[in-house]
Amino acid sequence: MHYFNPRMTSFLLVFGIFFTLSCATTNSSNNLESSDQPTVEELQDRLTQLDNRLQNDVQNSSLTIEKASLLSEIAEKTEPPSQRLPYYRNLRDMADANYSDQNVRQEIDHYVQTSWTFEQTEGVKLLQQNPSGMDEQLTDEVISHFKNAITVNPDSLTTYNLLANTFYRSNRYDQAIQTLESALENIEPDPSEIREKLAYLYLESGNIDTSIRIYEDLVEDYPERAQIRHGLANAYMLNNEHDFAISILRNLIEDYPNRIEYKESLAGELYFKFRSSALRYINSDETISEADRDELLQKLDEITSLYNEIDSTVPLSDDNAYRKAAYLKNSAGYLADLSSNSTGNQFEEYRIELLNSSMVLWERLSENNPDNISYIRNLYDVYVELGMTEEAESIKRSYNL
């Protein structure tokens, strides 16, 4: 039974790196209302009166500054946060207007900054209070805060990231993508980190062609960024363009020989190629030529060598031991099936070698994890395949297999 696919470790290694919770340091905001503070309704009445006065005195600097102040104050007091957008749009429109008086410009920018800081701080505080996840209502509140912050200040890369991360954490990939696309439209020059997150999100949402296009553009712009090249390799894997992925991974290993994640990814891709070729021969009963046989065994040689290099670089954890043991055992199973399609005994000799190497690892895993019946069953299977009847029977009796 061939149940383990080592190439999947590549995605676990690469895809988890973009969307961790990144909360900026925030300052507390004391917004407690005292009994003598004006209500929202009173502030709205003042805003209406102020607008009427401004219609007759458009160039009045003090009235303009007062309006910006009122918009910021009304928005902050309005509940729920989702109802604040009209005030922030109005404040943003004021910020985008041309003023001959630079003092007006500075004052409006001050209120823009104040409102942006307030909204982002409130959203981040909710995220920090709920690091392991939020219910839908609380998530919507966080989203409202970040949308408000972006509305009043559409140039903040930090806020776009926070909003996209919030959508991502709640599995709203389309909205996360839309948020990052908006960031690219509003922020110049295009931030590479936004493009990279977009490539990943398109990949995870199933739009592989778009993901590949973005990754290829990024690789062209930033050829020195290994993480981007690895992302492109993963996109090629999911698009069944395995030769392209293998080429990228070989180059990455040449440039960064000590990074085990690239070796694990390459081992997974080579195993996929080996398995595909093996199944093609097994299902067709096609006789395997010496050249094809040697090519299959060379793939196994390279995969085994990669795992050995990983073992020599980092201590062999149980997880790594399991992946290697499963690869060795599964590959031995394919070689057993391939033996009937080939002349000579090269496949059989290699099969025994793989099983012996696998046995050592299953014995270690079983000893370290005596309650893991999966490890025990795999060790039993290997004993049977190697003709170690006494050992196999001992395990069978001990664990009632």
Side-chain angles (χ1 to χ4, degrees):
M1 180 178 179
H2 310 297
Y3 58 88
F4 182 74
N5 189 348
R7 68 188 283 263
M8 292 307 297
T9 61
S10 167
F11 304 114
L12 296 176
L13 287 164
V14 175
F15 288 175
I17 59 181
F18 295 118
F19 289 93
T20 55
L21 175 60
S22 56
C23 293
T25 302
T26 62
N27 296 317
S28 298
S29 178
N30 297 320
N31 300 297
L32 298 177
E33 293 189 12
S34 63
S35 58
D36 59 346
Q37 287 184 327
T39 65
V40 172
E41 290 75 15
E42 291 171 338
L43 292 172
Q44 289 172 333
D45 288 341
R46 284 172 53 186
L47 180 62
T48 300
Q49 296 170 13
L50 194 61
D51 277 334
N52 291 334
R53 294 170 62 188
L54 274 169
Q55 287 180 0
N56 300 318
D57 194 1
V58 177
Q59 300 301 321
N60 190 313
S61 297
S62 61
L63 293 179
T64 301
I65 293 171
E66 185 180 353
K67 179 178 180 179
S69 173
L70 270 175
L71 288 170
S72 180
E73 186 176 0
I74 293 172
E76 186 173 328
K77 291 176 178 290
T78 298
E79 294 294 343
S82 59
Q83 300 300 313
R84 300 170 182 170
L85 280 175
Y87 303 107
Y88 287 134
R89 290 193 185 104
N90 198 336
L91 182 57
R92 184 68 247 170
D93 289 341
M94 293 182 68
D96 290 337
N98 293 319
Y99 300 98
S100 57
D101 187 341
Q102 287 303 307
N103 181 58
V104 174
R105 160 66 58 198
Q106 292 173 1
E107 287 295 320
I108 292 177
D109 287 346
H110 163 74
Y111 290 114
V112 165
Q113 180 68 26
T114 298
S115 295
W116 171 77
T117 301
F118 169 74
E119 293 293 343
Q120 180 161 293
T121 298
E122 292 301 301
V124 168
K125 284 195 307 188
L126 289 176
L127 288 179
Q128 291 174 331
Q129 292 166 9
N130 301 272
S132 59
M134 302 172 291
D135 60 31
E136 185 173 353
Q137 182 177 352
L138 193 56
T139 297
D140 287 342
E141 185 175 350
V142 172
I143 288 169
S144 292
H145 284 303
F146 292 146
K147 281 185 174 180
N148 291 338
I150 287 174
T151 298
V152 76
N153 180 18
D155 299 326
S156 172
L157 179 59
T158 300
T159 314
Y160 284 111
N161 274 321
L162 286 167
L163 179 57
N165 287 354
T166 305
F167 281 132
Y168 177 81
R169 293 175 71 201
S170 57
N171 298 317
R172 305 181 195 182
Y173 295 158
D174 289 345
Q175 290 169 285
I177 288 172
Q178 183 179 358
T179 299
L180 297 180
E181 293 282 12
S182 296
L184 291 181
E185 293 174 3
N186 287 284
I187 299 176
E188 295 292 343
D190 291 346
S192 63
E193 67 175 274
I194 293 295
R195 294 164 62 193
E196 190 176 356
K197 285 184 177 182
L198 264 175
Y200 164 66
L201 274 175
Y202 275 121
L203 191 63
E204 188 156 321
S205 64
N207 193 337
I208 301 177
D209 289 339
T210 300
S211 176
I212 288 176
R213 176 180 56 77
I214 296 173
Y215 270 127
E216 287 177 337
D217 290 343
L218 281 166
V219 169
E220 184 175 346
D221 292 342
Y222 306 96
E224 75 287 354
R225 300 264 288 274
Q227 183 171 289
I228 293 173
R229 290 156 64 189
H230 198 187
L232 178 57
N234 279 313
Y236 282 143
M237 291 179 203
L238 288 179
N239 210 39
N240 291 318
E241 298 181 64
H242 300 286
D243 289 336
F244 287 153
I246 287 172
S247 176
I248 291 174
L249 292 168
R250 290 192 196 282
N251 289 334
L252 282 169
I253 291 171
E254 183 177 343
D255 293 341
Y256 305 94
N258 294 322
R259 295 192 183 178
I260 64 171
E261 62 268 27
Y262 303 148
K263 294 179 181 180
E264 288 184 330
S265 295
L266 180 58
E269 277 297 273
L270 291 172
Y271 179 79
F272 179 86
K273 293 280 287 184
F274 164 79
R275 178 179 177 276
S276 298
S277 298
L279 287 174
R280 176 167 54 83
Y281 288 119
I282 292 167
N283 293 332
S284 68
D285 292 326
E286 178 184 348
T287 300
I288 303 173
S289 66
E290 290 186 12
D292 290 339
R293 179 199 64 203
D294 291 343
E295 183 179 350
L296 286 169
L297 295 180
Q298 284 170 5
K299 281 191 176 68
L300 293 180
D301 278 338
E302 185 174 3
I303 298 169
T304 303
S305 176
L306 287 166
Y307 276 117
N308 290 338
E309 289 176 17
I310 293 170
D311 294 349
S312 65
T313 303
V314 296
L316 190 61
S317 66
D318 281 353
D319 286 342
N320 287 337
Y322 169 73
R323 283 194 287 269
K324 184 177 180 181
Y327 148 69
L328 293 166
K329 179 174 179 286
N330 288 344
S331 298
Y334 286 118
L335 291 181
D337 294 337
L338 287 168
S339 294
S340 60
N341 296 59
S342 175
T343 59
N345 60 354
Q346 287 86 349
F347 281 149
E348 179 61 18
E349 291 175 352
Y350 207 107
R351 182 182 80 90
I352 298 301
E353 181 181 337
L354 293 179
L355 285 172
N356 278 303
S357 298
S358 176
M359 178 185 66
V360 173
L361 295 171
W362 290 123
E363 286 176 339
R364 171 193 155 174
L365 288 166
S366 298
E367 182 178 350
N368 291 346
N369 305 273
D371 295 330
N372 190 319
I373 196 64
S374 175
Y375 295 160
I376 304 298
R377 287 187 181 278
N378 276 288
L379 179 57
Y380 171 79
D381 291 342
V382 171
Y383 281 154
V384 170
E385 289 295 321
L386 289 172
M388 300 173 65
T389 306
E390 185 176 338
E391 290 83 353
E393 286 299 319
S394 176
I395 287 183
K396 187 175 182 179
R397 288 192 302 270
S398 298
Y399 291 91
N400 195 28
L401 296 181

